[in-house]
């Protein structure tokens, strides 16, 4: 995918909450509340088990609007540091507003342009590293620790399109690790992450169960996690019990199938379906898309949701097994194969294909 198209796609991206709201998911509001409070949960994990996280500097939005002494001191002292600014609603139903990758002084200018009632928002200034190394997205359930790891920005995993190399898929079944393709440095990083989540102390398990309604598998904290590594250190940037429960029975298989097929990829959402191929690029989203067609595209974005709802199955060139789009496909109960690399080039419009998203094969 050309760099220019990647940049345009990034501009269209939404949070997972917004994706789920688009499909009217029953847990969308619960996940919205979790997303708004995720750093409060991470703070508890930091206090109880020492989990490192991207600790924000927090203000009431009225502090920014009224230029209180505490905020102005912070602005003067840290004005040139990079940040992500999240305006988090304190009232249900209001949108969360966010920007990232700008200096704190520029973020403050962005804040002043927002048409909001400051009394109804909190402002979180989150450190934003100038560089990234490893990023992960994974789940911990009774079957193990499983997900994806990639070198570079974390957006590649949540949004599903990659700057250079595709992500590696990993699994730890509480006995042995597998990473595909094999990478010793990635494996070392994953083992370090897993060590933070192991809580052998029953008193601490009970504490987290009381404070966060946490559960455990083989002494590892269960849930959905995201992490990012940079010159500033290793940070967990999300812990969601609700999302984790959506994947409580999931077992991820690392690597593509070697069985003969038209194209192959990885399962973003399990299931089987048969239908006629309809290839859709971002510049022809208004195509006459028939109900029951197999949606084939480079990568799904929020603009594809109406087509995803009509499709019998989804096949993409790029994408990740736990990307926002894959999670949405799963909740739509649509078979979805991601990361084929060449589906839009190999498959043809109106071609009848069978999609087996359990094995990752299109035949």
């Amino acid at each position: 995918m050309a760099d220019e198209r990647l940049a345009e796609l990034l501009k269209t991206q939404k949070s997972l909450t917004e994706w789920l709201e688009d499909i009217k998911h029953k847990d969308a509001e619960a996940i919205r509340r979790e997303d708004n409070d995720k750093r409060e949960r991470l703070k508890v994990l930091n206090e109880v088990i020492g989990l490192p996280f991207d600790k924000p500097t927090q203000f009431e939005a009225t502090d920014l609007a009224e230029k209180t002494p505490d905020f102005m001191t912070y602005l003067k002292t840290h004005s040139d540091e990079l940040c992500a600014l999240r305006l988090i609603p304190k009232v249900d139903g209001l949108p969360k507003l966010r920007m990232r990758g700008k200096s704190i002084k520029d973020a403050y200018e962005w804040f002043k342009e927002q048409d909001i009632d400051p009394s109804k928002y909190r402002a979180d200034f989150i450190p934003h590293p100038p560089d990234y190394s490893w990023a992960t997205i994974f789940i911990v359930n009774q079957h193990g620790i499983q997900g994806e790891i990639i070198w570079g920005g974390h957006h590649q995993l949540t949004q599903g399109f990659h700057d250079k190399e595709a992500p590696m898929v990993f699994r730890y079944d509480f006995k042995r690790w597998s990473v595909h393709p094999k990478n010793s440095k990635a494996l070392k990083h994953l083992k370090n992450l897993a060590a933070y989540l192991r809580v052998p102390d029953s008193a601490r398990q009970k504490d987290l169960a009381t404070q966060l309604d946490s559960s455990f598998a083989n002494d590892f904290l269960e849930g959905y996690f995201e992490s990012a590594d940079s010159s500033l250190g290793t940070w967990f940037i999300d812990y969601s019990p609700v999302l984790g429960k959506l994947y409580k029975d999931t077992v991820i298989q690392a690597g593509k199938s070697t069985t003969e097929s038209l194209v192959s990829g990885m399962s973003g959402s399990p299931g089987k379906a048969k239908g006629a191929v309809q290839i859709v690029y971002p510049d022809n989203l208004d195509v006459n898309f028939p109900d029951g067609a197999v949606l084939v595209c480079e990568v799904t974005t929020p603009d594809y949701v109406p087509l995803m709802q009509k499709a019998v199955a989804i096949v993409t060139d790029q994408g990740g097994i736990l990307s926002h789009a894959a999670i949405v496909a799963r909740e739509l109960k649509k078979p979805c194969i991601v990361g084929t690399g060449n589906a839009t080039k190999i498959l043809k419009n109106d071609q009848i294909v069978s999609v087996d998203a359990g094995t990752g094969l299109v035949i």
Side-chain angles (χ1 to χ4, degrees):
M1 186 180 296
D3 291 343
E4 296 80 7
R5 184 175 291 180
L6 175 62
E8 288 304 310
L9 283 171
L10 279 171
K11 293 177 183 177
T12 71
Q13 294 308 291
K14 298 180 179 180
S15 69
L16 177 58
T17 298
E18 292 168 305
W19 278 85
L20 294 174
E21 287 174 340
D22 285 347
I23 65 169
K24 297 179 171 54
H25 191 277
K26 62 182 179 60
D27 293 324
E29 184 56 35
I31 292 170
R32 172 188 285 279
R33 288 194 297 269
E34 271 209 340
D35 184 54
N36 287 344
D37 295 335
K38 63 185 176 184
R39 285 180 178 81
E40 303 307 308
R41 290 193 306 282
L42 290 168
K43 181 180 179 182
V44 172
L45 295 181
N46 176 261
E47 293 170 347
V48 176
I49 60 175
L51 192 84
F53 77 111
D54 52 344
K55 185 177 180 180
T57 300
Q58 298 178 322
F59 294 95
E60 294 296 320
T62 51
D63 291 327
L64 280 65
E66 298 171 6
K67 300 181 180 180
T68 62
D70 283 349
F71 172 70
M72 296 310 292
T73 297
Y74 171 76
L75 179 63
K76 181 178 179 180
T77 306
H78 302 277
S79 62
D80 293 327
E81 296 176 11
L82 292 179
C83 75
L85 175 55
R86 290 164 57 101
L87 299 178
I88 300 172
K90 300 190 292 183
V91 177
D92 288 345
L94 291 177
K96 177 182 67 179
L97 304 172
R98 59 201 181 279
M99 55 73 60
R100 67 179 65 198
K102 293 187 178 182
S103 67
I104 289 174
K105 64 183 177 184
D106 288 340
Y108 177 49
E109 293 303 315
W110 171 84
F111 165 81
K112 291 190 289 186
E113 297 171 357
Q114 306 310 304
D115 184 18
I116 62 169
D117 178 349
S119 69
K120 296 179 180 179
Y121 280 86
R122 185 181 82 232
D124 283 9
F125 289 89
I126 301 159
H128 191 281
D131 58 346
Y132 284 99
S133 46
W134 296 116
T136 71
I137 181 170
F138 61 95
I139 53 173
V140 181
N141 62 20
Q142 294 295 322
H143 301 289
I145 302 173
Q146 43 197 329
E148 292 178 302
I149 181 170
I150 197 167
W151 185 266
H154 186 266
H155 66 277
Q156 299 174 98
L157 298 178
T158 56
Q159 308 306 338
F161 34 90
H162 318 121
D163 297 339
K164 293 180 181 178
E165 298 295 324
M168 292 163 272
V169 179
F170 65 87
R171 185 175 176 219
Y172 173 54
D173 63 2
F174 301 130
K175 293 180 181 178
R176 60 183 62 85
W177 285 90
S178 62
V179 180
H180 181 83
K182 291 183 178 180
N183 185 303
S184 59
K185 292 182 179 179
L187 178 58
K188 181 180 179 181
H189 181 67
L190 292 168
K191 288 181 176 180
N192 288 338
L193 289 177
Y196 284 115
L197 300 178
R198 185 169 180 269
V199 188
D201 184 344
S202 60
R204 292 184 180 182
Q205 286 192 16
K206 184 177 180 180
D207 190 2
L208 292 177
T210 299
Q211 293 196 60
L212 301 176
D213 195 27
S214 299
S215 58
F216 297 84
N218 278 35
D219 289 337
F220 287 91
L221 181 65
E222 288 188 293
Y224 166 99
F225 297 88
E226 298 175 7
S227 76
D229 195 67
S230 72
S231 57
L232 299 181
T234 296
W235 290 333
F236 283 81
I237 58 178
D238 199 0
Y239 160 53
S240 170
V242 172
L243 278 176
K245 289 173 183 174
L246 296 182
Y247 282 85
K248 64 184 180 65
D249 298 320
T250 296
V251 178
I252 290 173
Q253 301 297 330
K256 294 184 179 181
S257 172
T258 57
T259 304
E260 186 175 349
S261 62
L262 295 171
V263 295
S264 66
M266 297 175 294
S267 176
S269 172
K272 297 180 180 180
K274 185 175 182 178
V277 167
Q278 180 69 61
I279 300 173
V280 181
Y281 292 100
D283 57 1
N284 72 326
L285 285 166
D286 59 352
V287 66
N288 182 18
F289 190 92
D291 289 332
V294 174
L295 172 61
V296 178
C297 57
E298 294 172 315
V299 65
T300 48
T301 70
D303 292 334
Y304 280 84
V305 166
L307 304 185
M308 294 170 70
Q309 291 173 316
K310 295 176 70 175
V312 69
I314 302 156
V315 181
T316 68
D317 290 347
Q318 295 202 45
I321 56 176
L322 290 172
S323 65
H324 292 350
I327 292 173
V328 168
R330 182 186 181 91
E331 295 310 301
L332 287 171
K333 296 181 170 50
K334 301 295 178 77
C336 176
I337 296 176
V338 299
T340 65
N342 58 4
T344 58
K345 296 179 177 63
I346 300 298
L347 303 179
K348 306 299 180 185
N349 279 329
D350 301 321
Q351 180 180 5
I352 304 299
V353 298
S354 294
V355 177
D356 184 345
T359 60
L361 301 177
V362 179
I363 55 179

